[in-house]
Amino acid sequence: MPALASHRKPRTRVRTTPAVGLTTAALASVTLLSTQSATAAPAEPKPSIQEVQKKVDDLYRQAGTATQQYNQAKTASAEQRSKVDALLEAAAKRADKLNETRRELGSYAAAQYRGGSIAPTATFFLADDPQSYFDQDQLMARMTSRQQKAVADFRTQQKEAAAKRAEATKSLETLTESQASLRTSKQQVQTKLTEARSLLSKLTAEEKARLAELERKKEAEAKRKAEELARQQAAKEKAEKATAEETPEAGTGTDAGSGTGSDSGYSSKAEKVLAFARAQIGKPYVWGATGPSSYDCSGLTQAAWKAAGVGLPRTTWDQVEVGTRVATANLRPGDLVFFYDDISHVGIYKGDGMMIHAPKPGANVREESIYYMPIYGSVRPA
């Protein structure tokens, strides 16, 4: 009997190589990730609340410095613009006088034409450089004294007009530099404020609460120092008053220690300064602002003293040079108190160790202890 053919399908051979390859790749990936994790730089530790507070305070102070640079550049730019306008106006007037002299010389040329002697003067007016042509002795010899004076005036006015144009050009270059400095300072202010806001925005609610508590402690310590100064000043004033009552003739002079002349005159001005400053309490700090709806620190002090009839320069760096320097112990209402080593902030002393000032972006004009910030020095403006 013939053998029957097998109807079973042949077994398919299973290839295991891809699986082995996949497993190898997976292991390699795990190994690579492990290696990267092991060699990656450790994350920087999160700053403490005290460090955040110091960093934010520093950024606001730096923004204050940049604000004063902006104010300085803005003032310089405005002054330079006025100078340029005046120079351009002067140059235009010189050009008018020059043209007037040209017309006068033209009338001489017309007269010579009618007299049949056109050649020399006509050559003068057709020449590219009439001034050099007039250097020729033969032409000058043919002119009357009046004509010679007109030519001399023409030469003088040409030189003056050229000088004014050159001065105006140089002044315009300075104006361009001032405007560039203005833009740079503005960018610096915005950068510092953005960085400070970014730091604060990253704090959790709990961290913000802790930061607020640190601020309250700082304010309380500053207030304590202000109260101590108020007690010292009150005791000093009482002693001086007692001395003055005992020796009336000695009490009519001036207070050399405080560096003032007329006490009553200064007190009258100071009252106007403080009345103006109090009326601004609650208005927002805006860098570069001079009122009436918002102020920066030196903008407020400038406006307040202006209300008393005293003009102050725009920046803290210039205001600190005005008037007489005063020791902290001898401060009187109306005096200006400056802060930080770079003199980037200023407030108006109101008495009892307190001041009115425009603090920083995000805050309003308010009363605060002069000890809230490190004191640089104080001046009596008038």
Side-chain angles (χ1 to χ4, degrees):
M1 184 176 178
L4 297 175
S6 174
H7 293 286
R8 290 183 302 174
K9 294 182 179 179
R11 296 178 62 185
T12 303
R13 181 175 297 176
V14 179
R15 299 180 64 184
T16 58
T17 304
V20 173
L22 181 61
T23 303
T24 304
L27 288 173
S29 298
V30 172
T31 303
L32 179 60
L33 288 173
S34 300
T35 304
Q36 288 177 339
S37 299
T39 57
E44 292 185 5
K46 190 173 183 179
S48 66
I49 293 299
Q50 289 81 359
E51 290 172 335
V52 170
Q53 181 190 42
K54 183 178 184 306
K55 180 64 175 176
V56 170
D57 287 346
D58 286 345
L59 286 169
Y60 278 132
R61 181 186 60 77
Q62 291 166 19
T65 302
T67 296
Q68 295 307 313
Q69 292 171 341
Y70 171 85
N71 293 338
Q72 187 178 56
K74 187 175 181 180
T75 300
S77 181
E79 291 174 352
Q80 196 62 33
R81 168 54 67 186
S82 297
K83 184 177 180 181
V84 167
D85 290 343
L87 285 170
L88 290 175
E89 183 178 357
K93 289 180 179 179
R94 294 290 180 187
D96 288 342
K97 291 183 67 176
L98 186 62
N99 291 332
E100 184 179 343
T101 304
R102 283 184 185 275
R103 287 190 292 271
E104 185 177 358
L105 292 175
S107 67
Y108 295 150
Q112 286 190 359
Y113 176 78
R114 289 191 296 270
S117 178
I118 183 61
T121 309
T123 304
F124 162 72
F125 280 105
L126 294 173
D128 291 334
D129 186 5
Q131 181 179 343
S132 63
Y133 183 79
F134 266 125
D135 289 336
Q136 301 177 38
D137 293 337
Q138 63 270 27
L139 182 58
M140 294 298 291
R142 298 180 59 175
M143 291 185 171
T144 65
S145 60
R146 183 179 176 185
Q147 290 172 331
Q148 289 180 2
K149 182 179 182 303
V151 172
D153 289 345
F154 178 81
R155 289 174 172 175
T156 300
Q157 289 160 13
Q158 265 191 325
K159 291 179 181 178
E160 290 176 349
K164 284 297 179 185
R165 284 195 299 270
E167 189 176 356
T169 299
K170 185 175 181 180
S171 191
L172 278 170
E173 292 173 354
T174 304
L175 175 61
T176 300
E177 292 173 0
S178 297
Q179 290 173 333
S181 178
L182 187 65
R183 288 191 294 271
T184 299
S185 299
K186 182 177 181 179
Q187 183 60 47
Q188 288 175 342
V189 174
Q190 293 171 335
T191 299
K192 296 300 180 183
L193 294 181
T194 298
E195 191 174 347
R197 294 186 188 109
S198 176
L199 271 174
L200 293 173
S201 68
K202 294 176 182 177
L203 297 178
T204 64
E206 180 186 355
E207 289 171 333
K208 289 178 180 178
R210 289 166 56 196
L211 182 61
E213 180 61 25
L214 287 177
E215 284 294 320
R216 281 191 290 271
K217 289 181 179 179
K218 181 180 178 180
E219 290 171 0
E221 176 61 16
K223 186 177 180 181
R224 184 192 65 76
K225 290 181 178 180
E227 291 170 349
E228 177 60 27
L229 176 62
R231 285 192 291 271
Q232 293 173 0
Q233 289 180 328
K236 180 182 177 183
E237 184 178 353
K238 184 177 180 181
E240 289 176 347
K241 185 177 181 180
T243 302
E245 289 174 350
E246 292 174 3
T247 55
E249 68 280 0
T252 60
T254 59
D255 183 1
S258 63
T260 183
S262 172
D263 284 356
S264 60
Y266 184 79
S267 296
S268 176
K269 291 176 181 177
E271 287 176 5
K272 295 178 181 178
V273 170
L274 288 170
F276 179 92
R278 289 189 186 99
Q280 312 314 308
I281 290 176
K283 293 183 179 180
Y285 175 104
V286 174
W287 63 272
T290 56
S293 58
S294 59
Y295 297 88
D296 65 16
C297 65
S298 56
L300 176 63
T301 53
Q302 184 187 48
W305 270 99
K306 183 179 180 181
V310 176
L312 293 181
R314 179 65 182 90
T315 70
T316 54
W317 303 321
D318 292 327
Q319 289 180 8
V320 76
E321 300 296 333
V322 174
T324 307
R325 293 298 292 268
V326 182
T328 301
N330 295 329
L331 282 170
R332 294 175 56 189
D335 291 346
L336 300 182
V337 186
F338 297 85
F339 301 90
Y340 302 113
D341 290 341
D342 60 0
I343 323 176
S344 56
H345 192 73
V346 62
I348 304 168
Y349 189 67
K350 66 175 288 291
D352 297 329
M354 302 293 285
M355 66 177 170
I356 299 174
H357 71 141
K360 60 185 178 181
N364 297 331
V365 175
R366 66 193 182 201
E367 293 185 9
E368 197 153 46
S369 167
I370 62 172
Y371 293 103
Y372 186 76
M373 294 167 283
I375 297 173
Y376 172 84
S378 306
V379 302
R380 188 157 297 151

